[in-house]
Amino acid sequence: MSEFDSGKQKLILKSNAKEDYNYREAIKTLRTNIQFCGSNIRVVMLTSSLPDEGKSSISISLAESLAQIGNKTILIDADIRKSVMFTRFQRAGHEEMYGLSQYLSGQKLLRDVIYETNVRDLSLIFAGPYSPNPTELLEENLFSIMFEVLRASYDYIIIDTPPMAEIIDGAIIAKHCDGAVMVIESGAISYHLEQKVKKQLETAGCRVLGAVLNKVDKEKFGKYGKYGYYGKYGKYGKYDRYDEEGRS
């Protein structure tokens, strides 16, 4: 039982029908590569350029995979503007749920927004209700304090962040992270846009650990499955659906 547990009912992680053998192996590869980045890499953010590149699903799967091998892990949904993670978890009861936005605005204590899950060693912080000023909330001193407390209690902190091409939230979060993984939708995002996001992360002082090439064409890259390949950033060439500003 977590030291933050206050008798709240555990959340149940719903199964994902898309998680076939290739997907699970790709997530294990991602997990292993992060572990080999060094023992000092414990707070890892997953980000993307634009919405719907699959970042949230990979964040959940990575956190679950780390917990399954005995790492005490907490997953933080930091997309206060447009969270989708709530739909991936099922409540056993009907108690009111609290989240990050309520903690950062001083409405709740940190222990009030941390939830245990049915996956051993995996805890979760939801984004919480929509806030009209998410950037200002993320700049609150409470955000820094949260990381200090969680680092003392968890082996890994995995953060699902907002897409970075159009809003600054991800760059603010990056200042508190040891490393970042960029999720890139195969064939959909321009090389220049990815370079822009990479530069934002580096400017924030966050090490870019690598990239996940997502939604790979199975016929063209069959051996990698739908959720492709984890490796050094820069191996993916140019993508033509979006230009530098992220527009078609």
Side-chain angles (χ1 to χ4, degrees):
M1 180 178 291
S2 167
E3 63 184 276
F4 297 105
D5 185 72
S6 59
K8 298 189 292 289
Q9 292 189 350
K10 289 185 178 181
L11 300 173
I12 300 171
L13 175 59
K14 298 178 183 178
S15 61
N16 185 353
K18 296 180 180 179
E19 294 184 4
D20 58 12
Y21 173 80
N22 289 321
Y23 176 87
R24 291 191 296 271
E25 289 302 304
I27 292 297
K28 288 178 182 178
T29 300
L30 173 59
R31 179 188 72 194
T32 300
N33 277 306
I34 287 175
Q35 291 178 303
F36 273 105
C37 286
S39 59
N40 61 322
I41 305 297
R42 298 174 53 217
V43 181
V44 179
M45 63 179 280
L46 278 80
T47 192
S48 62
S49 299
L50 299 170
D52 303 320
E53 293 190 67
K55 159 185 62 64
S56 296
S57 293
I58 293 174
S59 298
I60 294 170
S61 297
L62 173 61
E64 180 184 16
S65 185
L66 285 164
Q68 286 174 339
I69 58 171
N71 295 296
K72 196 172 181 184
T73 305
I74 186 164
L75 172 63
I76 301 175
D77 181 0
D79 193 349
I80 298 174
R81 297 175 188 265
K82 190 180 179 182
S83 171
V84 299
M85 196 170 290
F86 194 80
T87 61
R88 288 294 309 275
F89 290 85
Q90 177 181 331
R91 291 177 291 168
H94 299 284
E95 62 183 305
E96 185 177 357
M97 306 295 291
Y98 307 119
L100 183 62
S101 61
Q102 289 157 305
Y103 162 71
L104 294 177
S105 59
Q107 299 176 58
K108 296 293 175 183
L109 299 174
L110 182 58
R111 66 171 179 265
D112 296 327
V113 302
I114 296 177
Y115 292 87
E116 300 289 307
T117 74
N118 64 320
V119 179
R120 184 175 180 179
D121 290 325
L122 177 61
S123 300
L124 172 70
I125 297 178
F126 283 120
Y130 170 79
S131 168
N133 58 336
T135 302
E136 288 80 2
L137 284 182
L138 293 170
E139 291 176 330
E140 288 285 343
N141 190 45
L142 282 172
F143 198 50
S144 298
I145 293 172
M146 178 185 75
F147 285 104
E148 292 176 10
V149 173
L150 295 181
R151 280 180 181 273
S153 302
Y154 292 91
D155 299 315
Y156 283 98
I157 302 168
I158 304 300
I159 310 169
D160 180 27
T161 73
M164 291 184 63
E166 297 178 348
I167 54 177
I168 196 64
D169 298 10
I172 297 172
I173 296 167
K175 297 176 183 178
H176 302 277
C177 298
D178 302 322
V181 174
M182 297 171 61
V183 177
I184 304 171
E185 181 179 348
S186 177
I189 309 298
S190 77
Y191 172 81
H192 296 289
L193 187 59
E194 292 302 335
Q195 288 291 335
K196 176 183 175 182
V197 171
K198 179 174 179 283
K199 184 176 180 180
Q200 282 182 299
L201 291 167
E202 292 172 340
T203 299
C206 184
R207 175 182 168 188
V208 179
L209 304 177
V212 172
L213 187 62
N214 199 14
K215 302 183 182 179
V216 175
D217 186 328
K218 288 185 178 182
E219 293 184 1
K220 188 174 182 181
F221 301 102
K223 67 177 180 178
Y224 296 121
K226 182 173 181 181
Y227 293 82
Y229 173 79
Y230 177 86
K232 285 286 188 180
Y233 174 82
K235 295 175 72 69
Y236 305 110
K238 295 189 177 182
Y239 300 84
D240 56 11
R241 185 168 131 206
Y242 294 93
D243 61 14
E244 184 173 354
E245 288 72 35
R247 301 298 186 188
S248 55

